[in-house]
Amino acid sequence: MPLTVIVLGSSAGGGLPQWNCNCPQCAAARAGDPMVPPRSQSSIAVSADGERWLLCNASPDVRTQLAQTPALHPRALRHSPIAAVALTNADIDHATGLLILREGGAPPVYCTARTERALTDGLRVLPALASYGAVTVRRLTPGSADPEVIRDRAGEDIGVRLRTFTVASKPPPYMLPLLSAEEIADLHAGDTVGFELSSADGASRVVYVPGVLDLDASLHARLSSAALVLIDGTFFTDDEMIASGASQKTSRRMGHAPLTGAGGLLEFLQSVTGPRKALVHINNSNPALRADSPERRSIEAQGVALSIDGDTFVLG
Ligand code: MLT
Ligand code: MN
Ligand code: ZN
């Protein structure tokens, strides 16, 4: 059974251009430079039948993303092809779109215990949504033996399977005051996870990891057995935000392995042969966003593409 994957948003938090940023990429996108097309915030949609879709991450841009994607338009007076939502974490760029999906009651939400807690006690998105209709949360357990069968509101299997795996990660910043020092120190508690999606027969595997810090053997094996890898392209260099004066945080400090440098993602991907490889969650500070940049050329020369909003992959 083929699986269809649509990249709804290829940018990291803030989008391109970001509201308060005048860096070269944001300025060019704002000016309509064809070398730097605008990008919306991080999300993909996955379907086995083209009728019922799993939204992976609900970005604050979800309303526009759905409007621009005919496959996701309502088919009746009150209807949406979005059968369920799965979240890789509770970051603002990945979770606040749930608030946009409130009319008629939000779709079922698949997430880890840590993400559910963040959405309940931190962002309070789930309690807020509850006043628009009952919200069903279905727990994802990283590393569980059986894949999760994705089901719509009515409990019907939509033909998509989801395996969840932990990646080294930090809690969302807004959760820090609510967590103990031990909870914060546990980088594998499920604050951020990766997804391996497939059709019901286990074929057409896509690995979706918009945030990943540790590049280890188990990730390597998982990527190698996939047909498509959509992976963290947030930062080109570890100190990109510091060098430009935009922030004091390194890429790694923000929970993202940089693309370049020793132990970087591109080096890691070199030995992953087989799958198509494309970057997602690309931050507006990343110079490779410019289509005619040397950074872009160097990524593409290594067999890795930069995904863009609207990219559609059909995995046979
Ligand atoms: C991240 O994943 O680190 C975020 O995209 C940062 C942000 O939301 O600004
Ligand atoms: Mn993000
Ligand atoms: Zn910028």
PDB file of all heavy atoms in Angstrom, residues 10-39:
ATOM      1  N   SER A  10       8.156  23.607   6.036  1.00  0.00           N
ATOM      2  CA  SER A  10       9.545  23.118   6.014  1.00  0.00           C
ATOM      3  C   SER A  10      10.462  23.933   6.916  1.00  0.00           C
ATOM      4  O   SER A  10      11.657  23.661   6.992  1.00  0.00           O
ATOM      5  CB  SER A  10      10.069  23.157   4.572  1.00  0.00           C
ATOM      6  OG  SER A  10       9.968  24.475   4.053  1.00  0.00           O
ATOM      7  N   SER A  11       9.901  24.928   7.581  1.00  0.00           N
ATOM      8  CA  SER A  11      10.731  25.821   8.398  1.00  0.00           C
ATOM      9  C   SER A  11      10.676  25.448   9.878  1.00  0.00           C
ATOM     10  O   SER A  11       9.738  24.789  10.330  1.00  0.00           O
ATOM     11  CB  SER A  11      10.220  27.248   8.220  1.00  0.00           C
ATOM     12  OG  SER A  11      10.812  28.096   9.163  1.00  0.00           O
ATOM     13  N   ALA A  12      11.672  25.910  10.618  1.00  0.00           N
ATOM     14  CA  ALA A  12      11.661  25.771  12.075  1.00  0.00           C
ATOM     15  C   ALA A  12      10.767  26.854  12.685  1.00  0.00           C
ATOM     16  O   ALA A  12      10.133  27.636  11.955  1.00  0.00           O
ATOM     17  CB  ALA A  12      13.086  25.894  12.615  1.00  0.00           C
ATOM     18  N   GLY A  13      10.742  26.894  14.017  1.00  0.00           N
ATOM     19  CA  GLY A  13       9.966  27.904  14.725  1.00  0.00           C
ATOM     20  C   GLY A  13      10.320  29.304  14.239  1.00  0.00           C
ATOM     21  O   GLY A  13      11.484  29.611  14.022  1.00  0.00           O
ATOM     22  N   GLY A  14       9.294  30.130  14.044  1.00  0.00           N
ATOM     23  CA  GLY A  14       9.512  31.488  13.542  1.00  0.00           C
ATOM     24  C   GLY A  14       9.139  31.592  12.076  1.00  0.00           C
ATOM     25  O   GLY A  14       8.651  32.619  11.628  1.00  0.00           O
ATOM     26  N   GLY A  15       9.379  30.511  11.311  1.00  0.00           N
ATOM     27  CA  GLY A  15       9.076  30.540   9.887  1.00  0.00           C
ATOM     28  C   GLY A  15      10.046  31.424   9.129  1.00  0.00           C
ATOM     29  O   GLY A  15      11.008  31.966   9.691  1.00  0.00           O
ATOM     30  N   LEU A  16       9.805  31.554   7.854  1.00  0.00           N
ATOM     31  CA  LEU A  16      10.643  32.389   6.977  1.00  0.00           C
ATOM     32  C   LEU A  16       9.741  33.251   6.104  1.00  0.00           C
ATOM     33  O   LEU A  16       9.015  32.696   5.287  1.00  0.00           O
ATOM     34  CB  LEU A  16      11.532  31.493   6.096  1.00  0.00           C
ATOM     35  CG  LEU A  16      12.418  32.204   5.064  1.00  0.00           C
ATOM     36  CD1 LEU A  16      13.541  32.948   5.777  1.00  0.00           C
ATOM     37  CD2 LEU A  16      12.992  31.212   4.067  1.00  0.00           C
ATOM     38  N   PRO A  17       9.723  34.581   6.249  1.00  0.00           N
ATOM     39  CA  PRO A  17      10.485  35.329   7.238  1.00  0.00           C
ATOM     40  C   PRO A  17       9.869  35.257   8.633  1.00  0.00           C
ATOM     41  O   PRO A  17       8.669  35.089   8.771  1.00  0.00           O
ATOM     42  CB  PRO A  17      10.410  36.769   6.701  1.00  0.00           C
ATOM     43  CG  PRO A  17       9.084  36.829   5.982  1.00  0.00           C
ATOM     44  CD  PRO A  17       8.886  35.463   5.384  1.00  0.00           C
ATOM     45  N   GLN A  18      10.720  35.401   9.642  1.00  0.00           N
ATOM     46  CA  GLN A  18      10.254  35.470  11.039  1.00  0.00           C
ATOM     47  C   GLN A  18       9.854  36.905  11.346  1.00  0.00           C
ATOM     48  O   GLN A  18      10.536  37.843  10.914  1.00  0.00           O
ATOM     49  CB  GLN A  18      11.392  35.010  11.950  1.00  0.00           C
ATOM     50  CG  GLN A  18      11.079  35.108  13.440  1.00  0.00           C
ATOM     51  CD  GLN A  18      12.211  34.552  14.295  1.00  0.00           C
ATOM     52  OE1 GLN A  18      12.625  33.419  14.107  1.00  0.00           O
ATOM     53  NE2 GLN A  18      12.707  35.357  15.224  1.00  0.00           N
ATOM     54  N   TRP A  19       8.814  37.077  12.132  1.00  0.00           N
ATOM     55  CA  TRP A  19       8.198  38.397  12.324  1.00  0.00           C
ATOM     56  C   TRP A  19       9.167  39.501  12.734  1.00  0.00           C
ATOM     57  O   TRP A  19       9.027  40.648  12.319  1.00  0.00           O
ATOM     58  CB  TRP A  19       7.044  38.296  13.345  1.00  0.00           C
ATOM     59  CG  TRP A  19       7.483  38.137  14.778  1.00  0.00           C
ATOM     60  CD1 TRP A  19       7.989  37.009  15.342  1.00  0.00           C
ATOM     61  CD2 TRP A  19       7.458  39.136  15.802  1.00  0.00           C
ATOM     62  NE1 TRP A  19       8.271  37.223  16.666  1.00  0.00           N
ATOM     63  CE2 TRP A  19       7.965  38.528  16.988  1.00  0.00           C
ATOM     64  CE3 TRP A  19       7.065  40.473  15.863  1.00  0.00           C
ATOM     65  CZ2 TRP A  19       8.075  39.227  18.195  1.00  0.00           C
ATOM     66  CZ3 TRP A  19       7.177  41.159  17.067  1.00  0.00           C
ATOM     67  CH2 TRP A  19       7.681  40.540  18.214  1.00  0.00           C
ATOM     68  N   ASN A  20      10.182  39.145  13.544  1.00  0.00           N
ATOM     69  CA  ASN A  20      11.058  40.197  14.081  1.00  0.00           C
ATOM     70  C   ASN A  20      12.491  40.063  13.574  1.00  0.00           C
ATOM     71  O   ASN A  20      13.413  40.535  14.216  1.00  0.00           O
ATOM     72  CB  ASN A  20      11.064  40.141  15.607  1.00  0.00           C
ATOM     73  CG  ASN A  20      11.721  38.857  16.123  1.00  0.00           C
ATOM     74  OD1 ASN A  20      11.831  37.881  15.387  1.00  0.00           O
ATOM     75  ND2 ASN A  20      12.140  38.867  17.362  1.00  0.00           N
ATOM     76  N   CYS A  21      12.678  39.392  12.430  1.00  0.00           N
ATOM     77  CA  CYS A  21      14.046  39.121  11.988  1.00  0.00           C
ATOM     78  C   CYS A  21      14.335  39.764  10.637  1.00  0.00           C
ATOM     79  O   CYS A  21      13.536  39.652   9.704  1.00  0.00           O
ATOM     80  CB  CYS A  21      14.278  37.613  11.912  1.00  0.00           C
ATOM     81  SG  CYS A  21      16.020  37.216  11.596  1.00  0.00           S
ATOM     82  N   ASN A  22      15.491  40.400  10.565  1.00  0.00           N
ATOM     83  CA  ASN A  22      15.910  41.024   9.307  1.00  0.00           C
ATOM     84  C   ASN A  22      17.258  40.449   8.855  1.00  0.00           C
ATOM     85  O   ASN A  22      18.065  41.145   8.252  1.00  0.00           O
ATOM     86  CB  ASN A  22      15.994  42.549   9.483  1.00  0.00           C
ATOM     87  CG  ASN A  22      15.818  43.285   8.164  1.00  0.00           C
ATOM     88  OD1 ASN A  22      15.225  42.752   7.216  1.00  0.00           O
ATOM     89  ND2 ASN A  22      16.350  44.498   8.070  1.00  0.00           N
ATOM     90  N   CYS A  23      17.489  39.181   9.179  1.00  0.00           N
ATOM     91  CA  CYS A  23      18.714  38.504   8.718  1.00  0.00           C
ATOM     92  C   CYS A  23      18.648  38.398   7.187  1.00  0.00           C
ATOM     93  O   CYS A  23      17.591  38.636   6.597  1.00  0.00           O
ATOM     94  CB  CYS A  23      18.852  37.127   9.373  1.00  0.00           C
ATOM     95  SG  CYS A  23      17.758  35.862   8.695  1.00  0.00           S
ATOM     96  N   PRO A  24      19.761  38.075   6.522  1.00  0.00           N
ATOM     97  CA  PRO A  24      19.755  38.058   5.053  1.00  0.00           C
ATOM     98  C   PRO A  24      18.655  37.176   4.456  1.00  0.00           C
ATOM     99  O   PRO A  24      18.012  37.556   3.472  1.00  0.00           O
ATOM    100  CB  PRO A  24      21.145  37.517   4.705  1.00  0.00           C
ATOM    101  CG  PRO A  24      22.015  37.870   5.879  1.00  0.00           C
ATOM    102  CD  PRO A  24      21.117  37.819   7.077  1.00  0.00           C
ATOM    103  N   GLN A  25      18.408  36.019   5.074  1.00  0.00           N
ATOM    104  CA  GLN A  25      17.387  35.113   4.520  1.00  0.00           C
ATOM    105  C   GLN A  25      15.976  35.687   4.713  1.00  0.00           C
ATOM    106  O   GLN A  25      15.150  35.673   3.803  1.00  0.00           O
ATOM    107  CB  GLN A  25      17.460  33.729   5.164  1.00  0.00           C
ATOM    108  CG  GLN A  25      18.711  32.927   4.845  1.00  0.00           C
ATOM    109  CD  GLN A  25      19.944  33.429   5.568  1.00  0.00           C
ATOM    110  OE1 GLN A  25      20.882  33.871   4.931  1.00  0.00           O
ATOM    111  NE2 GLN A  25      19.953  33.418   6.890  1.00  0.00           N
ATOM    112  N   CYS A  26      15.709  36.207   5.929  1.00  0.00           N
ATOM    113  CA  CYS A  26      14.380  36.776   6.197  1.00  0.00           C
ATOM    114  C   CYS A  26      14.133  38.013   5.326  1.00  0.00           C
ATOM    115  O   CYS A  26      13.038  38.193   4.779  1.00  0.00           O
ATOM    116  CB  CYS A  26      14.223  37.120   7.673  1.00  0.00           C
ATOM    117  SG  CYS A  26      14.001  35.669   8.727  1.00  0.00           S
ATOM    118  N   ALA A  27      15.170  38.849   5.196  1.00  0.00           N
ATOM    119  CA  ALA A  27      15.018  40.069   4.388  1.00  0.00           C
ATOM    120  C   ALA A  27      14.736  39.700   2.932  1.00  0.00           C
ATOM    121  O   ALA A  27      13.860  40.294   2.283  1.00  0.00           O
ATOM    122  CB  ALA A  27      16.276  40.929   4.502  1.00  0.00           C
ATOM    123  N   ALA A  28      15.447  38.696   2.410  1.00  0.00           N
ATOM    124  CA  ALA A  28      15.254  38.289   1.016  1.00  0.00           C
ATOM    125  C   ALA A  28      13.866  37.686   0.809  1.00  0.00           C
ATOM    126  O   ALA A  28      13.178  37.989  -0.176  1.00  0.00           O
ATOM    127  CB  ALA A  28      16.336  37.282   0.613  1.00  0.00           C
ATOM    128  N   ALA A  29      13.429  36.854   1.756  1.00  0.00           N
ATOM    129  CA  ALA A  29      12.104  36.241   1.637  1.00  0.00           C
ATOM    130  C   ALA A  29      11.025  37.319   1.667  1.00  0.00           C
ATOM    131  O   ALA A  29      10.058  37.292   0.893  1.00  0.00           O
ATOM    132  CB  ALA A  29      11.882  35.241   2.764  1.00  0.00           C
ATOM    133  N   ARG A  30      11.224  38.308   2.532  1.00  0.00           N
ATOM    134  CA  ARG A  30      10.259  39.411   2.667  1.00  0.00           C
ATOM    135  C   ARG A  30      10.202  40.239   1.388  1.00  0.00           C
ATOM    136  O   ARG A  30       9.154  40.729   0.983  1.00  0.00           O
ATOM    137  CB  ARG A  30      10.677  40.275   3.856  1.00  0.00           C
ATOM    138  CG  ARG A  30       9.575  41.035   4.516  1.00  0.00           C
ATOM    139  CD  ARG A  30      10.066  41.671   5.822  1.00  0.00           C
ATOM    140  NE  ARG A  30       9.924  40.808   6.971  1.00  0.00           N
ATOM    141  CZ  ARG A  30      10.929  40.404   7.745  1.00  0.00           C
ATOM    142  NH1 ARG A  30      12.165  40.803   7.523  1.00  0.00           N
ATOM    143  NH2 ARG A  30      10.689  39.616   8.770  1.00  0.00           N
ATOM    144  N   ALA A  31      11.346  40.361   0.723  1.00  0.00           N
ATOM    145  CA  ALA A  31      11.428  41.185  -0.488  1.00  0.00           C
ATOM    146  C   ALA A  31      10.960  40.417  -1.731  1.00  0.00           C
ATOM    147  O   ALA A  31      10.944  40.975  -2.829  1.00  0.00           O
ATOM    148  CB  ALA A  31      12.866  41.670  -0.672  1.00  0.00           C
ATOM    149  N   GLY A  32      10.620  39.151  -1.569  1.00  0.00           N
ATOM    150  CA  GLY A  32      10.139  38.372  -2.725  1.00  0.00           C
ATOM    151  C   GLY A  32      11.250  37.831  -3.604  1.00  0.00           C
ATOM    152  O   GLY A  32      11.018  37.479  -4.764  1.00  0.00           O
ATOM    153  N   ASP A  33      12.457  37.728  -3.078  1.00  0.00           N
ATOM    154  CA  ASP A  33      13.585  37.176  -3.835  1.00  0.00           C
ATOM    155  C   ASP A  33      13.288  35.715  -4.210  1.00  0.00           C
ATOM    156  O   ASP A  33      13.062  34.885  -3.328  1.00  0.00           O
ATOM    157  CB  ASP A  33      14.841  37.249  -2.935  1.00  0.00           C
ATOM    158  CG  ASP A  33      16.114  36.790  -3.632  1.00  0.00           C
ATOM    159  OD1 ASP A  33      16.027  35.995  -4.588  1.00  0.00           O
ATOM    160  OD2 ASP A  33      17.197  37.215  -3.190  1.00  0.00           O
ATOM    161  N   PRO A  34      13.275  35.386  -5.512  1.00  0.00           N
ATOM    162  CA  PRO A  34      12.930  34.007  -5.905  1.00  0.00           C
ATOM    163  C   PRO A  34      13.931  32.959  -5.409  1.00  0.00           C
ATOM    164  O   PRO A  34      13.614  31.768  -5.382  1.00  0.00           O
ATOM    165  CB  PRO A  34      12.917  34.056  -7.438  1.00  0.00           C
ATOM    166  CG  PRO A  34      13.657  35.299  -7.811  1.00  0.00           C
ATOM    167  CD  PRO A  34      13.527  36.255  -6.666  1.00  0.00           C
ATOM    168  N   MET A  35      15.106  33.395  -4.999  1.00  0.00           N
ATOM    169  CA  MET A  35      16.098  32.447  -4.462  1.00  0.00           C
ATOM    170  C   MET A  35      15.776  32.047  -3.020  1.00  0.00           C
ATOM    171  O   MET A  35      16.372  31.110  -2.491  1.00  0.00           O
ATOM    172  CB  MET A  35      17.509  33.066  -4.503  1.00  0.00           C
ATOM    173  CG  MET A  35      18.085  33.204  -5.891  1.00  0.00           C
ATOM    174  SD  MET A  35      18.333  31.565  -6.616  1.00  0.00           S
ATOM    175  CE  MET A  35      17.592  31.802  -8.202  1.00  0.00           C
ATOM    176  N   VAL A  36      14.879  32.801  -2.361  1.00  0.00           N
ATOM    177  CA  VAL A  36      14.563  32.519  -0.950  1.00  0.00           C
ATOM    178  C   VAL A  36      13.046  32.550  -0.748  1.00  0.00           C
ATOM    179  O   VAL A  36      12.503  33.491  -0.164  1.00  0.00           O
ATOM    180  CB  VAL A  36      15.257  33.535  -0.007  1.00  0.00           C
ATOM    181  CG1 VAL A  36      15.147  33.085   1.448  1.00  0.00           C
ATOM    182  CG2 VAL A  36      16.732  33.723  -0.368  1.00  0.00           C
ATOM    183  N   PRO A  37      12.340  31.528  -1.255  1.00  0.00           N
ATOM    184  CA  PRO A  37      10.879  31.535  -1.089  1.00  0.00           C
ATOM    185  C   PRO A  37      10.487  31.395   0.381  1.00  0.00           C
ATOM    186  O   PRO A  37      11.199  30.739   1.147  1.00  0.00           O
ATOM    187  CB  PRO A  37      10.422  30.308  -1.893  1.00  0.00           C
ATOM    188  CG  PRO A  37      11.634  29.468  -2.084  1.00  0.00           C
ATOM    189  CD  PRO A  37      12.828  30.366  -1.999  1.00  0.00           C
ATOM    190  N   PRO A  38       9.374  32.025   0.797  1.00  0.00           N
ATOM    191  CA  PRO A  38       8.919  31.931   2.186  1.00  0.00           C
ATOM    192  C   PRO A  38       8.597  30.483   2.566  1.00  0.00           C
ATOM    193  O   PRO A  38       8.281  29.665   1.701  1.00  0.00           O
ATOM    194  CB  PRO A  38       7.631  32.757   2.210  1.00  0.00           C
ATOM    195  CG  PRO A  38       7.633  33.554   0.967  1.00  0.00           C
ATOM    196  CD  PRO A  38       8.472  32.836  -0.035  1.00  0.00           C
ATOM    197  N   ARG A  39       8.699  30.192   3.840  1.00  0.00           N
ATOM    198  CA  ARG A  39       8.413  28.841   4.345  1.00  0.00           C
ATOM    199  C   ARG A  39       7.584  28.954   5.617  1.00  0.00           C
ATOM    200  O   ARG A  39       7.820  29.839   6.432  1.00  0.00           O
ATOM    201  CB  ARG A  39       9.722  28.112   4.681  1.00  0.00           C
ATOM    202  CG  ARG A  39      10.547  27.737   3.456  1.00  0.00           C
ATOM    203  CD  ARG A  39      11.976  27.404   3.853  1.00  0.00           C
ATOM    204  NE  ARG A  39      12.791  27.134   2.690  1.00  0.00           N
ATOM    205  CZ  ARG A  39      12.989  25.920   2.168  1.00  0.00           C
ATOM    206  NH1 ARG A  39      12.456  24.859   2.736  1.00  0.00           N
ATOM    207  NH2 ARG A  39      13.725  25.763   1.099  1.00  0.00           N
TER     208      ARG A  39
END
